[in-house]
Amino acid sequence: VLYVIAILFATFVQGKNGERLVELTSTPPGPGGPNPEIPATVKKLQQGGMVLFVLIVAIVFLMVVKPFR
């Protein structure tokens, strides 16, 4: 179950945010400076990465400890 959640989260949430970041950074910044949406998108990606890290640690922990045997 955790594996499926991690895959779906990475594919749909992180993928969408990653594509948005590429879109935002594919053009050089204008005279007003970089797009203010970039830091917000980076923060979303960082937080999503932390969620994925916790899920992966939980998956590995359950694989090693095997508490439901």
Side-chain angles (χ1 to χ4, degrees), residues 6-45:
I7 293 297
L8 292 174
F9 182 80
T11 302
F12 294 109
V13 177
Q14 289 292 89
K16 181 185 69 130
N17 288 332
E19 289 174 4
R20 181 69 182 140
L21 185 62
V22 169
E23 181 182 311
L24 290 170
T25 58
S26 61
T27 57
N35 189 333
E37 192 177 344
I38 292 174
T41 305
V42 169
K43 186 173 182 176
K44 287 180 189 176
L45 283 167

